[in-house]
Amino acid sequence: MKLNRLGSAAAVLSVAAIALTACGSDNPTAASSESAAGSSAAGVTGTLTGIGASSQKSAMEAWATGFKSANPEAQVQYSPDGSGAGREAFLAGGAQFAGSDAYLKEEEATKAKEVCGPDGAFNIPAYVSPIAVAFNLEGVEEINMDAATIAKVFKKEITKWNDEAIAKQNPDVELPDTAITVVHRNDESGTTENFVEYLKAAAADVWSYDVSGDWPSDIQSENAKGTSGVVSTTTSTNGAITYADFSAVGGLSTVNVKVGDEYTKISADAAAKALEAATPVEGASENDLALDLKRDTTESGTYPIVLVSYHIFCSSYKDQATVDLVKAFGNYVVSDEGQKTAQESAGNAPISASIAEKAAKAIDSITVAK
């Protein structure tokens, strides 16, 4: 579902602007440290409340700690209840920002005007990470699968690990006659939405379900709440497979995804490459940096199952103290320092300098409601 965007939006984020840098620490990744320090120089105070994506949990803990170091009288409280819960709480006025692995839908953007004023809310890319197709199969560290095979596994049309469809893509792997246990999220999740968006785009002949943050109700399988829930269930179940933020999969094995004629191993660099083909979401204001990803890319070395997790802010808040607090934290997150802090904690790919510059400009536009 698309937002209504000004005609000039294509110029707002060019391909060059949205391309992520590689993950080396010597790459320019975000707004300057001087800018971040400047946003904190006033010594903001108070408590900022956020609710949302569990994929951001590790990064958010690092951001909260780093932000408090620069602002001893301020703190950030974040509850990783899931993207859907975060957007719902934000739109109900129960949180000052939301973390979400999916940008606001059209009806949500309209509703945001009720709590954020006539200019509504906007999406800022804050955290970029590949979604792992992660599994627990004794004696197997990695496996190759194309999109159709992944879709059939999660649709429960392939139910054994030594199924011919898997075996022919892994001739050098000894696959056991073990049942596949699919583990999915049971809460509304941006990770789910990103994962099924990939299945819908890259394996349309197999995956006929609409893209949604809720798992299809007619696919009965094991389920758990949040990223930690599905990872824990998969880790304790031999033969299990799930989808989760790469930073959270721990010791689970991962699937190499077929892109074009080759299989791509999951990595932050490969996920960053996927964003080179991303385009601005058709329709929003200049300050809205939501992106559409090309899930069915055939470019070698690209990992297409990637999530861009957003921070959703109001364009205006009720008082100056809240505005100052939101601006200070928002700018810290997209700063070079904030992105490096998250990368060290969560292993995600940092946003590019171009995106960070536009993000800082959008955050600095937040005003007191009139």
Side-chain angles (χ1 to χ4, degrees), residues 6 19 39 139 174 185 190 211 280 287 292 301 320 338 356:
L6 298 174
S39 67
E174 187 174 342
R185 292 278 291 268
V211 175
N287 288 334
D292 273 337
Q320 189 64 51

Side-chain angles (χ1 to χ4, degrees), residues 154-174:
F154 279 89
K155 206 174 174 184
K156 300 185 70 176
E157 292 179 0
I158 294 175
T159 60
K160 294 280 190 176
W161 279 102
N162 62 351
D163 185 281
E164 183 182 358
I166 301 175
K168 69 181 182 181
Q169 297 177 74
N170 298 275
D172 299 325
V173 179
E174 187 174 342

Side-chain angles (χ1 to χ4, degrees), residues 130 142-146 150 254-271 273-274 297-305:
E142 62 181 40
I143 226 168
N144 296 328
M145 289 191 194
D146 57 23
I150 295 171
T254 55
V255 171
N256 302 325
V257 177
K258 191 173 186 180
V259 178
D261 296 326
E262 301 177 356
Y263 293 92
T264 301
K265 185 178 179 65
I266 189 169
S267 70
D269 284 345
K273 193 172 181 180
T297 181
T298 58
E299 186 175 350
S300 178
T302 300
Y303 189 84
I305 320 176

